[in-house]
Amino acid sequence: MTEAARRAQWRDLVERRLPGAARPDWPVRLDHCFARILLDNTCGGPWRDQIRPPAYANTPLDQLEVAIALGEAVLAGDADLALLNRRSLAWRGKIACAPVPDALRDGDLILRRWRPEDTAPFAALNADPAVMAHFPRPRTAAESAAEAGILDRRFVADGFGPWALEQAGRFIGFAGAMRILRPLPFPGGDRPGRTVELVWRLTRDAWGQGFATRAARRARADLSERCGIGAVVAFTAAGNARSRAVMERLGMVPAGTFPHPAVPEGPLREHVLYRLDCADREAAA
């Protein structure tokens, strides 16, 4: 599909198809409201902070494709429009946010909210070829700064997110949980917003010391106890033995493979999926 056709598809989706399909239980019915919800959830915050109006003409094509997929999931009944709307309104300060602790602790390991001084070490982490070996490419400094903001805004939208990790006074990466907003081809992944993923990424000098497992376990406990979410997934490129080992130490169960749609064709596209449900959690504690 050409870029012009994709942008026309977006306008048809938000200006005609979604308003025309609006149900009594949907929180919005107007075209600009659907555009707001889909773009905010795609951008991880108010879309005007990242995209110059008009959105249909200026949204980067990769983001527009995610927003379209999310809208199609709403139409199919696979995405909860009320949840997506609450996330958008929370980012915009229109509704109260659930209280979130400033930090969690596991001995000498601190899981905390993000700070401006994390920007430089996070950029260095994301520029390290070894750390990013199982991603399509390292991140630029600008991309890392944007990612840090998106990760922290997850706490505003959901009450949980990926925590910045601090050990012995230094930033060593992040670990936590986040809702999957892009439709992914595995059971549950095709229902955006309803499946929660455990995530982590650590600096190379923090590898091999158990920090990823400890941080993910502490974040998972908070997710269950404070947020009432017990079932989670995790996934990584099939060749990422280090992350797979963390998933297994957490008691997660292999649940097949899938081609990640955000990863280009090649050796990194096939991902392995792991799950941990409420029953498994007791055994893994």
Side-chain angles (χ1 to χ4, degrees), residues 181-198:
L181 272 301
R182 176 176 188 145
L184 294 176
F186 61 80
D190 53 355
R191 300 174 69 80
R194 306 192 190 197
T195 298
V196 174
E197 175 194 6
L198 285 181

Side-chain angles (χ1 to χ4, degrees), residues 8-48:
Q9 180 187 14
W10 164 253
R11 297 192 68 177
D12 184 57
L13 175 67
V14 297
E15 294 175 8
R16 183 185 67 84
R17 295 175 62 211
L18 282 164
R23 304 195 306 257
D25 61 325
W26 282 10
V28 301
R29 289 168 175 73
L30 301 178
D31 56 355
H32 67 275
C33 295
F34 289 111
R36 166 183 60 81
I37 293 169
L38 298 179
L39 289 172
D40 281 4
N41 278 277
T42 297
C43 294
W47 67 266
R48 287 174 183 265

